[in-house]
C-alpha cells in the first residue's frame, strides 16, 4: 500500500556509510529528507548525491537531515563515494543506507516493478519532527531531482505549519502568501493587522509572516 501524507514514516534499522541507523532515533526532533537512488555507480545519482552534499548547510539551517537509500552494499558505497567526490567536488556528508535486503525500499514503496523490478525509482520523502510524512515525490530513474524545489517545499511546510497561510504557485521564501479559507476576516485582522489584498472572498493575499 502506498504511504500517504500524514502517516507516520515507517521505522527501520539499517547499516549506512555513517554506521547503524535506527531511523526514528536518528531523526530525533529534526525534519528529514529521505531519498532513494536506483543504483550505485550510475551517472544521474552521482550528480544528485554531490548536489545534496554541496548544499547540506542549507538543509542544516532548516533543521532538516539528509539520508539516502540504495540497495547496494556498503563496500559499493565506499568506492562510489570516491567517484562522487572526484567528479562533483563534494564528499558524502550524510548517511547513505545500504539497503541490500530492500527493507526500506519495500517499506516505502520504492520498487516499482513496471518501471524496473530490480531498482528503486527516485523517491523523495519529507518527514517532520513528529515522524509524519509531509511530502512524497516520485521521479523515473532517468530524471534527476531539483534540490531547489525540495528546499522550497521545506520552507513552505515550516512556514504554513506556524501560521494559518498557504503558499501560492511558484512561491519563494519571502514572497506574499495566502490566508487560508478557514480563517475568518475577523481572525485575519488579528493575525495580519497590516491588512491584505482581497482578490476574491477566498483569495486573500498577505505579506509573508516573519
Amino acid at each position: 500500500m502506498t504511504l500517504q501524507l500524514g502517516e507516520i514514516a515507517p521505522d527501520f534499522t539499517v547499516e549506512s556509510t555513517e554506521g547503524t541507523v535506527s531511523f526514528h532515533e536518528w531523526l530525533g526532533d529534526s525534519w528529514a529528507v529521505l531519498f532513494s537512488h536506483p543504483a550505485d555507480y550510475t551517472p544521474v545519482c552521482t550528480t544528485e548525491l554531490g548536489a545534496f552534499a554541496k548544499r547540506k548547510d542549507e538543509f542544516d539551517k532548516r533543521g532538516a537531515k539528509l539520508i539516502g537509500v540504495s540497495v547496494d552494499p556498503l563496500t559499493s558505497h565506499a568506492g562510489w563515494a570516491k567517484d562522487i567526490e572526484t567528479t562533483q567536488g563534494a564528499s558524502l556528508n550524510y548517511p547513505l543506507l545500504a539497503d541490500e535486503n530492500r527493507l526500506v525500499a519495500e517499506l516505502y514503496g520504492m520498487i516499482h516493478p513496471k518501471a524496473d523490478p530490480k531498482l528503486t525509482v527516485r523517491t523523495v520523502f519529507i518527514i517532520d519532527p513528529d515522524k509524519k510524512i509531509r511530502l512524497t515525490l516520485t521521479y523515473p530513474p532517468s530524471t534527476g531531482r531539483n534540490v531547489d524545489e525540495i528546499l522550497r517545499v521545506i520552507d513552505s511546510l515550516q512556514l504554513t505549519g506556524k501560521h494559518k497561510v498557504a503558499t501560492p504557485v511558484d512561491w519563494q521564501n519571502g514572497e506574499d502568501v495566502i490566508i487560508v479559507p478557514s480563517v475568518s476576516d475577523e481572525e485575519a485582522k488579528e493575525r495580519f493587522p497590516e491588512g491584505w489584498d482581497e482578490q476574491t472572498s477566498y483569495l486573500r493575499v498577505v505579506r509573508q509572516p516573519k
Side-chain angles (χ1 to χ4, degrees):
M1 184 177 293
T2 302
L3 292 172
Q4 297 184 348
L5 301 186
E7 289 188 32
I8 298 296
D11 196 13
F12 56 79
T13 300
V14 173
E15 294 301 314
S16 83
T17 52
E18 296 187 2
T20 303
V21 170
S22 294
F23 184 57
H24 282 190
E25 180 181 352
W26 173 86
L27 180 59
D29 59 357
S30 299
W31 290 73
V33 178
L34 173 68
F35 52 100
S36 65
H37 296 277
D40 291 2
Y41 297 103
T42 52
V44 177
C45 298
T46 300
T47 64
E48 288 185 323
L49 265 70
F52 278 114
K54 287 178 181 177
R55 303 183 68 178
K56 182 176 178 293
D57 62 332
E58 296 180 52
F59 289 93
D60 290 342
K61 290 175 183 177
R62 293 163 170 81
K65 295 180 176 180
L66 296 169
I67 185 166
V69 183
S70 173
V71 295
D72 289 315
L74 279 178
T75 52
S76 175
H77 289 357
W80 187 31
K82 295 177 183 177
D83 285 354
I84 293 168
E85 183 173 8
T86 299
T87 63
Q88 306 303 308
S91 58
L92 205 60
N93 52 12
Y94 49 85
L96 178 59
L97 300 176
D99 190 30
E100 291 183 77
N101 296 325
R102 301 188 183 183
L103 171 64
V104 180
E106 295 293 343
L107 281 174
Y108 283 80
M110 295 172 172
I111 303 290
H112 291 204
K114 291 184 179 179
D116 193 312
K118 298 180 180 179
L119 304 176
T120 58
V121 292
R122 297 184 195 284
T123 57
V124 180
F125 293 87
I126 295 180
I127 300 162
D128 71 16
D130 293 325
K131 316 297 188 291
K132 291 183 178 180
I133 296 171
R134 301 296 300 278
L135 171 134
T136 63
L137 286 171
T138 301
Y139 296 78
S142 59
T143 304
R145 283 163 277 222
N146 186 315
V147 179
D148 287 326
E149 174 61 7
I150 296 171
L151 288 165
R152 189 186 79 91
V153 172
I154 293 173
D155 286 340
S156 174
L157 289 171
Q158 293 181 344
L159 174 69
T160 58
K162 293 180 180 178
H163 305 279
K164 291 187 177 181
V165 297
T167 54
V169 63
D170 295 333
W171 174 85
Q172 297 292 331
N173 196 9
E175 296 180 350
D176 290 349
V177 295
I178 297 168
I179 302 171
V180 296
S182 62
V183 173
S184 66
D185 284 348
E186 289 72 22
E187 183 182 353
K189 289 175 184 177
E190 296 179 4
R191 290 182 171 274
F192 312 104
E194 295 180 359
W196 59 86
D197 174 17
E198 185 165 325
Q199 298 181 9
T200 72
S201 60
Y202 58 85
L203 180 53
R204 296 168 294 174
V205 178
V206 68
R207 294 181 65 180
Q208 177 177 318
K210 295 182 179 179

